[in-house]
Amino acid sequence: MLVLPSRLRPWYNRHSCEHVLARSAREAGELGTAEKAFEAKNYNEAERILLRLATSGNVKAARFLGGLYLKGQGLPQDYFKARKWLEKAASAGQRAAMDDLAWMMDM
């Protein structure tokens, strides 16, 4: 069993593996909910969920949202917003976002 000094316990509790795994599992579920909302043509709900996830640092949501803005799928086409979200995802290593940005630069 890991014994931490009392001054480190609050930090560990916020950053423990269990917390990170629980957050990523919750976000994966929410990302799935956003995909289902998009497929059901509930675009406002999909955008709302994706914006919240992307703003909190979920790179998959940022890439999904950027792609929707880029193609105008269910949302008004907006190259500025597309670039913003695709750059966030690309800077985190999302290869598909890098490809989308390269495609935008060739337009």
Side-chain angles (χ1 to χ4, degrees):
M1 177 173 188
L2 179 65
V3 178
L4 292 171
S6 61
R7 65 182 171 76
L8 293 179
R9 286 186 193 131
W11 179 89
Y12 178 78
N13 289 337
R14 284 193 311 274
H15 297 91
S16 67
C17 293
E18 294 85 10
H19 175 74
V20 171
L21 292 174
R23 178 180 175 204
S24 59
R26 183 179 68 249
E27 287 182 355
E30 291 179 64
L31 192 58
T33 301
E35 289 173 353
K36 288 177 186 172
F38 178 78
E39 290 168 2
K41 300 187 186 318
N42 188 351
Y43 303 122
N44 290 333
E45 178 69 7
E47 181 184 30
R48 184 186 66 76
I49 295 168
L50 291 170
L51 274 171
R52 188 170 41 75
L53 290 172
T55 302
S56 71
N58 185 305
V59 294
K60 289 182 181 179
R63 194 280 169 174
F64 190 178
L65 189 59
L68 296 181
Y69 284 126
L70 176 63
K71 297 173 181 115
Q73 290 180 297
L75 303 173
Q77 192 170 38
D78 186 329
Y79 293 126
F80 179 78
K81 288 180 181 178
R83 182 176 175 183
K84 171 187 170 181
W85 292 113
L86 290 172
E87 282 180 346
K88 285 186 182 265
S91 68
Q94 272 278 336
R95 182 70 180 174
M98 293 176 200
D99 293 342
D100 286 345
L101 282 171
W103 182 83
M104 283 182 75
M105 298 306 159
D106 285 341
M107 290 176 35

